[in-house]
Amino acid sequence: MTPSNDLAPHELRILVAVADEGGFSAAAAALGVTQSAVSHSVRGSERKLGAVLFARGRSGARPTDAGTKVVGHARRVLRLLALMAAEARAEPGAVRGPLRIAAFRSAALHLLPPALEALAARHPGIEPEVRVVRDVGAGTAGEVTAGRADLAIATFGSGPLSAGLVGDVLVEEEYSLVHPAGHPAPRTLPLVDWTENCGSYTRDWWAAQDWIPRATVRAEDDGTVLSMVGTGLGMAIMPELALRGAPATVEITDLGPDRPVRSVGYVTTPELAGTAPVRGLIRELRGLKA
């Protein structure tokens, strides 16, 4: 591409607005411009990139596969431009401004708070924005890829991170059997499970356990599972983070030396990893490993 084919920041903002608002008219209203200006800009961006970015229809506009990738890049570029301006204006050593974090429920409850507390003590000007995202499908790491988060707390599978992402493992969580306190034969109980509780780190072990029945009770999240187990509806197999602060109505039993382990860590992009807010949070998260 020649420089004349580069997209300008205002063109990137229009692409993001169309994706976020679901249509050209809604994007125009959000940006305070005319619909024709939005349409003209999108057509120009598509011409420069040589790809159709949005599928148009009566119900609005949705990103194509190419558009989803481009909008993700656009969000990340706009975020870096904002951080560049903020860091250029900041006094030496000062770290301030928003820090967008995506985390699954148990990490947001039990892993992030001590790191954010330490970060706030060191850099009072940082403004954390934490979104709880279910760790299924693209999961929390997908929020970084899509440009909606600067850093994610994610579970790591057996393979490498997706292209364009960097990260490190922070916690190795052991799985345990959780059951109603005092139950004489917890392995005979029905299984209570939730969608997030499935991954490459447990699949092979799970398949080899002939005592684990198919889940007969399904819940929305791990907190609901704990509540159901505590009321005697069944037993569950859960990772350590989800069990912090478990009620007295449940009992936690070791699954033995071959128990599955889940790796939890942070994920960001190489560019964002070098920015002051993200670098500061990574420092505090790594401090949790000590």
Side-chain angles (χ1 to χ4, degrees):
M1 255 187 229
T2 63
S4 61
N5 283 336
D6 291 343
L7 301 189
H10 74 274
E11 293 175 300
L12 300 180
R13 291 188 183 93
I14 287 174
L15 295 179
V16 170
V18 173
D20 288 347
E21 302 297 331
F24 289 13
S25 297
L31 294 171
V33 300
T34 64
Q35 181 179 341
S36 61
V38 170
S39 298
H40 178 76
S41 178
V42 172
R43 287 196 300 271
S45 296
E46 290 177 326
R47 186 169 56 252
K48 289 179 180 180
L49 296 175
V52 176
L53 303 180
F54 294 95
R56 286 81 158 169
R58 292 184 178 179
S59 60
R62 58 179 180 80
T64 61
D65 289 345
T68 297
K69 295 175 183 177
V70 169
V71 169
H73 284 298
R75 288 195 187 99
R76 295 197 299 274
V77 169
L78 291 171
R79 178 62 175 145
L80 286 171
L81 289 174
L83 286 167
M84 177 181 68
E87 292 187 15
R89 292 192 297 266
E91 298 176 3
V95 183
R96 60 182 66 253
L99 174 58
R100 307 171 306 161
I101 306 160
F104 54 92
R105 198 194 77 92
S106 59
L109 281 174
H110 305 298
L111 188 61
L112 268 179
L116 292 178
E117 181 182 21
L119 184 66
R122 193 187 300 266
H123 302 294
I126 285 185
E127 304 163 9
E129 300 172 0
V130 180
R131 291 176 56 244
V132 176
V133 177
R134 296 184 72 189
D135 203 24
V136 295
T140 56
E143 295 298 294
V144 176
T145 299
R148 290 186 288 263
D150 303 325
L151 179 143
I153 303 297
T155 54
F156 284 40
S158 56
L161 289 172
S162 299
L165 298 179
V166 296
D168 190 20
V169 172
L170 299 167
V171 175
E172 298 281 3
E173 296 185 90
E174 296 178 349
Y175 275 72
S176 298
L177 174 64
V178 191
H179 54 87
H183 196 283
R187 294 192 178 204
T188 65
L189 290 169
L191 177 66
V192 185
D193 207 6
W194 78 105
T195 305
E196 285 179 287
N197 194 31
C198 179
S200 58
Y201 32 81
T202 61
R203 194 173 292 118
D204 292 343
W205 177 88
W206 202 289
Q209 310 304 308
D210 57 10
W211 59 274
I212 302 178
R214 172 175 284 185
T216 54
V217 181
R218 285 206 168 268
E220 180 66 22
D221 57 42
D222 49 1
T224 308
V225 169
L226 268 180
S227 178
M228 289 183 170
V229 171
T231 57
L233 288 175
M235 57 88 172
I237 297 165
M238 305 182 72
E240 188 272 332
L241 271 179
L243 296 175
R244 291 188 185 178
T249 52
V250 305
E251 189 173 333
I252 301 169
T253 301
D254 195 304
L255 285 169
D258 295 328
R259 59 188 170 270
V261 175
R262 178 169 80 167
S263 299
V264 176
Y266 71 86
V267 175
T268 185
T269 68
E271 297 80 13
L272 285 166
T275 62
V278 174
R279 190 169 62 244
L281 180 56
I282 290 173
R283 182 189 303 113
E284 304 303 340
L285 287 169
R286 283 177 171 161
L288 300 177
K289 300 169 65 174

